[in-house]
Amino acid sequence: MTAESATSPTPVGPPSPARAAAATDDLVARAHRSLLPLALGLIAANLVLHLVIALAGNRITVLTTLPLVVIALGVAAYLATRGRALGRLRYGRLVAHVLCFLTVTAGYQLHLTVLAVLGAAPPSDGTLDPWLGPALVMPALWGLGLLMHAVGAVLDRGFEAPRA
């Protein structure tokens, strides 16, 4: 037992409303501060994803999609831990959704753009172009989901969890 702990009183009983509000504010502040590391982590992870695709001859395969699965699991882990309080931060969950959407879909679009600028057509196996899914279908369907999320967030005035 330290001298400081012997002199500071230990709270007994239920937390006061002021203490509960301060704890909630701290939780929300930590969630807010976690958004920049999330963005930077998503950018880095997507750079690795596209490096893997480039090293595989710019082919979209099951193996080159595994880093995308890792990104999705990482975002899910973030939302279950550090990002839990984002619902109490105005438009917090929507910002996380937008960051994920933009880094993933823009990565595929930029990869395809670089191939086009370099005059290198993406490899195709003669059937449906494997780039059709990540470069066209995924952004379209995910974009619809993001639009619905944005409209819902606006209707909820930006809060997706109880504020108190």
Side-chain angles (χ1 to χ4, degrees):
M1 182 177 219
T2 65
E4 182 181 310
S5 63
T7 59
S8 44
T10 303
V12 178
S16 70
R19 237 185 345 195
T24 298
D25 289 346
D26 185 49
L27 188 65
V28 170
R30 282 196 314 256
H32 183 266
R33 285 191 307 270
S34 74
L35 286 170
L36 180 60
L38 172 68
L40 296 175
L42 283 168
I43 291 167
N46 278 283
L47 286 171
V48 170
L49 165 68
H50 289 283
L51 179 64
V52 168
I53 294 170
L55 291 174
N58 297 310
R59 295 187 183 283
I60 302 294
T61 66
V62 171
L63 290 177
T64 61
T65 305
L66 286 178
L68 186 59
V69 172
V70 172
I71 292 169
L73 292 173
V75 170
Y78 164 80
L79 290 173
T81 57
R82 295 181 71 192
R84 283 187 79 156
L86 286 176
R88 293 182 179 171
L89 177 65
R90 186 168 247 180
Y91 298 104
R93 287 185 184 156
L94 180 64
V95 169
H97 192 169
V98 167
L99 288 171
C100 192
F101 172 80
L102 289 176
T103 56
V104 171
T105 60
Y108 281 102
Q109 297 295 323
L110 285 170
H111 195 125
L112 213 53
T113 300
V114 168
L115 290 177
V117 167
L118 296 176
S124 179
D125 61 3
T127 61
L128 278 177
D129 189 337
W131 279 87
L132 182 68
L136 187 65
V137 177
M138 181 176 61
L141 295 178
W142 193 351
L144 285 175
L146 181 58
L147 177 62
M148 289 186 285
H149 186 174
V151 169
V154 168
L155 291 173
D156 286 339
R157 296 184 359 235
F159 296 101
E160 298 180 44
R163 289 171 256 170

